[in-house]
Amino acid sequence: MYYLALLALIIIGVLVVKRIASCLVKTIITLLLIAVGIVIYYYYLQ
């Protein structure tokens, strides 16, 4: 289940980043995706 959620997160992130051209926005989105991935990782593997 964790891998499915992480895969969906990556796909959504790639689609959003392709549509947004600003480098600052890309950085913020990337950091948010990493944070969400870490939270999901800790909740599923505790």
Side-chain angles (χ1 to χ4, degrees):
M1 184 66 183
Y2 166 73
Y3 295 109
L4 183 62
L6 189 59
L7 181 63
L9 190 66
I10 291 170
I11 292 171
I12 291 171
V14 169
L15 291 175
V16 169
V17 167
K18 280 185 176 181
R19 298 196 188 285
I20 299 174
S22 174
C23 194
L24 178 62
V25 175
K26 286 182 183 180
T27 304
I28 292 170
I29 291 172
T30 303
L31 291 175
L32 286 173
L33 289 175
I34 291 171
V36 170
I38 291 171
V39 168
I40 291 171
Y41 176 78
Y42 280 123
Y43 278 124
Y44 278 105
L45 296 179
Q46 273 186 341

